[in-house]
Amino acid sequence: MHFKTIATALAVAGVAAAQNYTQGSAHINMNNIDATVTFAKVDTGVNVTVAVSKGLTEAFQILPVGFEYHVHVNPVGANNNCTSTGGHLDPANVGAAPCDPKNLTSCQVGDLSGKHGDLVAVNNSTGAIPTFSYIDTQLAFSGAASLVGRSVVIHNNGTRVACADIVVEGYSGNSSSTNGTTTTGGSTTSGAAKLVGSVALSGLVAAMMLVF
């Protein structure tokens, strides 16, 4: 009974470690764009705050439609490769159909622009835009819509021009490098993969202790 109690505690602790995150941010500093997207857990979802200090000028944008930005599935690749971030976070497999912000089931979870509007370019020399916030009811810090191990990408008419990892407070798998990946023993492991591995290890230990 003693071993079973310990095993149960370990299993619960492993799951809790994957669910108790409440804060995260992506600091983008690339191609003369300096922006920070902050995520904070609230009762109704995640509060998102976007602060852009430079780079989003009208002269830089390709078409006058604003800059799109999204949460992407994977971390940033080696040498700040934004292509390595994969597609938008889309656990429901909504696909590329247009997002209707009045009907969130039509939207990819990571399509922040589709749900809340593009980053509007400004006609000044710095490209700084006013800081703004909103609550996204689809994002989370656990489950299929989790922000852990993800990244934020800014697009200019579809082209990925800047990106950064989402660094989640308290998560041991956060990258210590600037390119958004952690390399161990010659292999590269994404934040999401390390999170799954951590929980799986806790479950394995718990199962072994139940046997003995």
Side-chain angles (χ1 to χ4, degrees), residues 150-211:
R150 315 299 188 184
S151 57
V152 174
V153 179
I154 296 177
H155 301 253
N156 190 353
N157 191 34
T159 300
R160 305 181 186 201
V161 293
C163 56
D165 289 344
I166 298 173
V167 177
V168 175
E169 293 184 15
Y171 174 50
S172 61
N174 287 325
S175 171
S176 59
S177 63
T178 58
N179 62 23
T181 56
T182 302
T183 302
T184 305
S187 62
T188 302
T189 306
S190 72
K194 293 186 73 174
L195 174 63
V196 172
S198 175
V199 175
L201 179 60
S202 296
L204 177 60
V205 171
M208 292 176 65
M209 295 186 72
L210 282 172
V211 172

Side-chain angles (χ1 to χ4, degrees), residues 19-28 35-42 45-51 71 112 133-134 139-142 146-152 164-172 174-175:
Q19 296 179 340
N20 285 341
Y21 306 117
T22 60
Q23 300 276 346
S25 62
H27 181 202
I28 299 169
T36 300
V37 184
T38 304
F39 303 90
K41 183 178 179 180
V42 294
V46 171
N47 186 83
V48 182
T49 300
V50 181
V71 174
L112 303 183
S133 299
Y134 54 82
L139 293 173
F141 281 91
S142 63
S146 175
L147 293 164
V148 179
R150 315 299 188 184
S151 57
V152 174
D165 289 344
I166 298 173
V167 177
V168 175
E169 293 184 15
Y171 174 50
S172 61
N174 287 325
S175 171

